[in-house]
Each structure stands twice: as structure tokens, then as C-alpha cells.
Amino acid sequence: NKTADPIIKGMMIAYPKQLPLADIDNQYLFCDDFLVCAVTKENVCFQQVALPKGSAWYDLYSYKAYRGGQVMYAEAPAGTLPVFLRGGAVKAIHLPSDMKLGTKMFDDSHDGYQAIPALLVTAPDRACDVTIYVKDGESTDYQTYDSHTETYVSKPTGDNTFSIANKDGSSREILLALGVTAAAVKVDGTPLTYLAHTPDYAKKEYGYTVDRRGMTTIYVKAGWKEITVTQGDAAYVPYKLTAVSHDACAMLDGKAETQFVLPQDGAPVTVALENAAKIGRVVVKWTTGFYAAYDIAYSLDGEQWTVLPTEGEHTVIDGAGSIDVIDFETVDAAYLRIQPVQIGDNDIPPAIYGFEVYAPACFAPLEPLSSTVKKDENGNASDNWTESEWNTWNR
């Protein structure tokens, strides 16, 4: 009501110069920076998404960065629709004291789940100003209230550094940098302490921590005027795997649009690492069909197998499909296999579109990047898509 700018915009309202987007009716821009891609078909686990030109785009769930000006297949497992955050975004959000997106919180303090004003940011491709409107206190009636604005400037400050600034001093103590693995963070020119764990909000443990999949959590004193982030290498990518039993390559190719249907007789499916290695995480990405209970076993020789050390009777019990992230104490493995136990509660054959194995999480500080992260290769070039570009990307 301050700007008369719609909160939700169709592609043509948001990008009137990018004419190839005109026929897309299952995407919209929410609050200027969230690209929401509705899933309108049943029994699918991926969605074709057209990323507008002019910026990089960051997957809200996987934290991966994608160049604008392309059509790609995004993951859309059960219960999840693809959402991307524009590069250079500075969004006002509320977080609970555990500083995690999507966990329980309340408007007022309640069992430690107080809603804390925070910022969700992404690395900018170019300088941009952001104005945030903040309501103060309760409304005196349905339309009368006090408010103020916060203005932030987000800009690159080097090949691998960027800054978020508020000349008046920001009252927001928590920043989540999506798609960023920080090698260093400075607050008003002073280095911020690196922590190997999420900062303790109750104890005012100021510092930053890094999820090497691509998220940096920053906790600072209120009143800061500039935060500078130096980006680092994520160094947390899945091991390369090959199929040993069955034709399971489709679940190992990293593509959401390909899938492997598990054997109907419940036979185990085996994959191999290139070399024996220490592992600490397995990620299983199900299509609509899934197993509610199953075991993941590991082996060094492919003969002697041990079920991954988890707390339940099986590696996964009471699973609901979608994406299972299984963390465990470090083990040495050269082979892994999936052993189905109990099928899920639908009539669709269980299938996996992604199976990933990771090294144990490393908590040592990161090194700065030797090259820049993914940015929009078009820079400040025209927003117009040529016919040949669209035909190439829309194959």
C-alpha cells in the first residue's frame, strides 16, 4: 500500500522486455525477488523453470546458484515446489533462536521460539538499493499504524567479496547468506569470529558459521552499518558414484528429470565410489513413489556389509518420501547399497531420481575462492531474449 506495486507479479508484469516469458503461466515473482514455480501436474518430481535474465538465481532449498537467462529442470519432490531467490536480494524475515529457515516460531516469546527480525540475502551481481517497510507496534484499527523504513545497499566490492550496508545502523542481528560459503566476514571493518557451530543466540555468541552446501549464518550486534563477506570454496560436493547392480545410472546423473525405478522384488541396489573414502552423509531423493523404511549399508570389499549407524531399527523408518538426508558418524566405504524394507503409502512404484554420498562435514575455516561464483553472464546486457536463444533453451 506504500508503492502500489503488486506483491505477486506474473512474468510479463515483472519482465515486460523478456517476451519469451509471456506464455509461462506457472511461475510468478513474489515480493520482487522470489521466483515461485507452481507444480501443476501430479506424480512428478521435477519442474521446467525459466530463469529470467538480469541476475543469478539461488535455489531456496539446495542453495545452488544458477545463471539467469536459461531454462532448466528444477527439483520438485513431494510437498515442495521450486522457489528461487534473485541475486542481490535483501529480504526482511523472522527467524527462531535456532536461526534455521522453516522451523517453529511464534510472534511472541514462547518456549524459546521467539520470532527474531533477520535478513535473508544473496550475493549481488551489481549494486542495488533495497527499501524495507517495517510496521511498528500494533494497529490502532484496520488501517492505522506506525511504521518506518530501512534502506540497504548491496553491492560487489571485489571479485569474490560483497557488502550489505545500512548507513543508519541496522537493528537486525541475524543474516542468512543464501548460496554463500563465507571464507571471512567483517562487521564495520572488524573481522567476525568463525564458529564451527550455529551461534548461540541466548548467550549472545556473536560470530558466523558455514553450511558447506551453501549457506552462511551471521550473528552480529545490532547497530552495524556494513557487513562485508568474502566468499570461499564450498568443498562439500557429492562423491562420484557408479552403478554396480541393476541399471541405476539414472539416479546418479544429477538430473531431476531422470529416475531409477527400484526392483519390484525388493532386491538391494548397489553403487560404488571411485575410491574408498570416509563418508558422513547420504541423501536419497524420491519421486512420488518411495519406501517408508529401508536400510543403507556400506562395505569396503562388496562382500561384508554393515548398516549405517543410525538410532532406529533401520536406517530410515517412517519415511514420507521427498528427500531423506541421513547424517551419521564417519565410516570408511567403497560400496553402498539400498535395501528396501517397507513400501510407502501410495500405489506408485518406488523410484529414486538422486542418490548422493558426501564426506563428513568439515568445520575448519574456508579458503577464499580462486575464481568468482556463478554470476549472470549477461551482466548489464539487454534483457531481451533472442528467438534463437529461446529456441535453444526451450528444447
Side-chain angles (χ1 to χ4, degrees), residues 211-222:
D211 178 341
R212 298 202 176 197
R213 293 184 303 135
M215 174 78 86
T216 296
T217 301
I218 301 171
Y219 179 31
V220 297
K221 291 182 180 180

PDB file of all heavy atoms in Angstrom, residues 211-222:
ATOM      1  N   ASP A 211      27.399 -23.582   6.416  1.00  0.00           N
ATOM      2  CA  ASP A 211      26.936 -24.865   5.905  1.00  0.00           C
ATOM      3  C   ASP A 211      27.543 -24.990   4.514  1.00  0.00           C
ATOM      4  O   ASP A 211      27.221 -24.203   3.622  1.00  0.00           O
ATOM      5  CB  ASP A 211      25.406 -24.881   5.841  1.00  0.00           C
ATOM      6  CG  ASP A 211      24.849 -26.179   5.264  1.00  0.00           C
ATOM      7  OD1 ASP A 211      25.602 -26.904   4.588  1.00  0.00           O
ATOM      8  OD2 ASP A 211      23.657 -26.457   5.478  1.00  0.00           O
ATOM      9  N   ARG A 212      28.401 -25.971   4.322  1.00  0.00           N
ATOM     10  CA  ARG A 212      29.169 -26.021   3.076  1.00  0.00           C
ATOM     11  C   ARG A 212      28.342 -26.413   1.861  1.00  0.00           C
ATOM     12  O   ARG A 212      28.867 -26.439   0.741  1.00  0.00           O
ATOM     13  CB  ARG A 212      30.375 -26.936   3.262  1.00  0.00           C
ATOM     14  CG  ARG A 212      31.293 -26.382   4.346  1.00  0.00           C
ATOM     15  CD  ARG A 212      32.690 -26.870   4.248  1.00  0.00           C
ATOM     16  NE  ARG A 212      33.501 -26.212   5.266  1.00  0.00           N
ATOM     17  CZ  ARG A 212      34.816 -26.180   5.252  1.00  0.00           C
ATOM     18  NH1 ARG A 212      35.482 -26.742   4.280  1.00  0.00           N
ATOM     19  NH2 ARG A 212      35.491 -25.569   6.198  1.00  0.00           N
ATOM     20  N   ARG A 213      27.068 -26.675   2.055  1.00  0.00           N
ATOM     21  CA  ARG A 213      26.205 -26.821   0.888  1.00  0.00           C
ATOM     22  C   ARG A 213      25.898 -25.455   0.284  1.00  0.00           C
ATOM     23  O   ARG A 213      25.472 -25.371  -0.867  1.00  0.00           O
ATOM     24  CB  ARG A 213      24.895 -27.511   1.267  1.00  0.00           C
ATOM     25  CG  ARG A 213      25.058 -28.962   1.681  1.00  0.00           C
ATOM     26  CD  ARG A 213      23.699 -29.584   1.931  1.00  0.00           C
ATOM     27  NE  ARG A 213      22.953 -28.848   2.929  1.00  0.00           N
ATOM     28  CZ  ARG A 213      21.665 -28.517   2.806  1.00  0.00           C
ATOM     29  NH1 ARG A 213      21.007 -28.804   1.703  1.00  0.00           N
ATOM     30  NH2 ARG A 213      21.043 -27.866   3.760  1.00  0.00           N
ATOM     31  N   GLY A 214      26.102 -24.375   1.072  1.00  0.00           N
ATOM     32  CA  GLY A 214      25.878 -23.052   0.506  1.00  0.00           C
ATOM     33  C   GLY A 214      25.028 -22.127   1.340  1.00  0.00           C
ATOM     34  O   GLY A 214      24.131 -21.471   0.813  1.00  0.00           O
ATOM     35  N   MET A 215      25.283 -22.059   2.634  1.00  0.00           N
ATOM     36  CA  MET A 215      24.564 -21.119   3.490  1.00  0.00           C
ATOM     37  C   MET A 215      25.501 -20.625   4.586  1.00  0.00           C
ATOM     38  O   MET A 215      26.154 -21.423   5.259  1.00  0.00           O
ATOM     39  CB  MET A 215      23.345 -21.777   4.130  1.00  0.00           C
ATOM     40  CG  MET A 215      22.621 -20.884   5.147  1.00  0.00           C
ATOM     41  SD  MET A 215      21.578 -19.630   4.391  1.00  0.00           S
ATOM     42  CE  MET A 215      20.068 -20.582   4.165  1.00  0.00           C
ATOM     43  N   THR A 216      25.590 -19.314   4.758  1.00  0.00           N
ATOM     44  CA  THR A 216      26.369 -18.721   5.847  1.00  0.00           C
ATOM     45  C   THR A 216      25.415 -18.033   6.811  1.00  0.00           C
ATOM     46  O   THR A 216      24.583 -17.216   6.399  1.00  0.00           O
ATOM     47  CB  THR A 216      27.392 -17.712   5.308  1.00  0.00           C
ATOM     48  OG1 THR A 216      28.345 -18.398   4.480  1.00  0.00           O
ATOM     49  CG2 THR A 216      28.134 -17.020   6.450  1.00  0.00           C
ATOM     50  N   THR A 217      25.516 -18.377   8.096  1.00  0.00           N
ATOM     51  CA  THR A 217      24.694 -17.786   9.141  1.00  0.00           C
ATOM     52  C   THR A 217      25.544 -16.806   9.932  1.00  0.00           C
ATOM     53  O   THR A 217      26.601 -17.178  10.452  1.00  0.00           O
ATOM     54  CB  THR A 217      24.141 -18.868  10.087  1.00  0.00           C
ATOM     55  OG1 THR A 217      23.370 -19.797   9.319  1.00  0.00           O
ATOM     56  CG2 THR A 217      23.270 -18.254  11.171  1.00  0.00           C
ATOM     57  N   ILE A 218      25.097 -15.554  10.009  1.00  0.00           N
ATOM     58  CA  ILE A 218      25.862 -14.480  10.649  1.00  0.00           C
ATOM     59  C   ILE A 218      25.051 -13.925  11.818  1.00  0.00           C
ATOM     60  O   ILE A 218      23.871 -13.594  11.657  1.00  0.00           O
ATOM     61  CB  ILE A 218      26.167 -13.353   9.636  1.00  0.00           C
ATOM     62  CG1 ILE A 218      26.966 -13.912   8.447  1.00  0.00           C
ATOM     63  CG2 ILE A 218      26.924 -12.205  10.299  1.00  0.00           C
ATOM     64  CD1 ILE A 218      27.114 -12.930   7.296  1.00  0.00           C
ATOM     65  N   TYR A 219      25.697 -13.818  12.994  1.00  0.00           N
ATOM     66  CA  TYR A 219      25.042 -13.245  14.179  1.00  0.00           C
ATOM     67  C   TYR A 219      25.919 -12.111  14.679  1.00  0.00           C
ATOM     68  O   TYR A 219      27.071 -12.322  15.054  1.00  0.00           O
ATOM     69  CB  TYR A 219      24.879 -14.326  15.248  1.00  0.00           C
ATOM     70  CG  TYR A 219      24.239 -13.864  16.535  1.00  0.00           C
ATOM     71  CD1 TYR A 219      23.294 -12.830  16.560  1.00  0.00           C
ATOM     72  CD2 TYR A 219      24.569 -14.466  17.745  1.00  0.00           C
ATOM     73  CE1 TYR A 219      22.710 -12.418  17.741  1.00  0.00           C
ATOM     74  CE2 TYR A 219      23.982 -14.065  18.934  1.00  0.00           C
ATOM     75  CZ  TYR A 219      23.056 -13.036  18.928  1.00  0.00           C
ATOM     76  OH  TYR A 219      22.480 -12.623  20.104  1.00  0.00           O
ATOM     77  N   VAL A 220      25.389 -10.886  14.645  1.00  0.00           N
ATOM     78  CA  VAL A 220      26.170  -9.693  14.983  1.00  0.00           C
ATOM     79  C   VAL A 220      25.383  -8.814  15.946  1.00  0.00           C
ATOM     80  O   VAL A 220      24.173  -8.965  16.109  1.00  0.00           O
ATOM     81  CB  VAL A 220      26.520  -8.878  13.712  1.00  0.00           C
ATOM     82  CG1 VAL A 220      27.396  -9.671  12.772  1.00  0.00           C
ATOM     83  CG2 VAL A 220      25.236  -8.439  12.985  1.00  0.00           C
ATOM     84  N   LYS A 221      26.077  -7.881  16.566  1.00  0.00           N
ATOM     85  CA  LYS A 221      25.411  -6.918  17.435  1.00  0.00           C
ATOM     86  C   LYS A 221      24.564  -5.962  16.603  1.00  0.00           C
ATOM     87  O   LYS A 221      24.943  -5.573  15.496  1.00  0.00           O
ATOM     88  CB  LYS A 221      26.445  -6.122  18.234  1.00  0.00           C
ATOM     89  CG  LYS A 221      27.183  -6.919  19.290  1.00  0.00           C
ATOM     90  CD  LYS A 221      28.147  -6.019  20.055  1.00  0.00           C
ATOM     91  CE  LYS A 221      28.899  -6.801  21.122  1.00  0.00           C
ATOM     92  NZ  LYS A 221      29.847  -5.937  21.880  1.00  0.00           N
ATOM     93  N   ALA A 222      23.432  -5.578  17.145  1.00  0.00           N
ATOM     94  CA  ALA A 222      22.593  -4.589  16.470  1.00  0.00           C
ATOM     95  C   ALA A 222      23.344  -3.268  16.347  1.00  0.00           C
ATOM     96  O   ALA A 222      24.226  -2.951  17.151  1.00  0.00           O
ATOM     97  CB  ALA A 222      21.302  -4.387  17.256  1.00  0.00           C
TER      98      ALA A 222
END
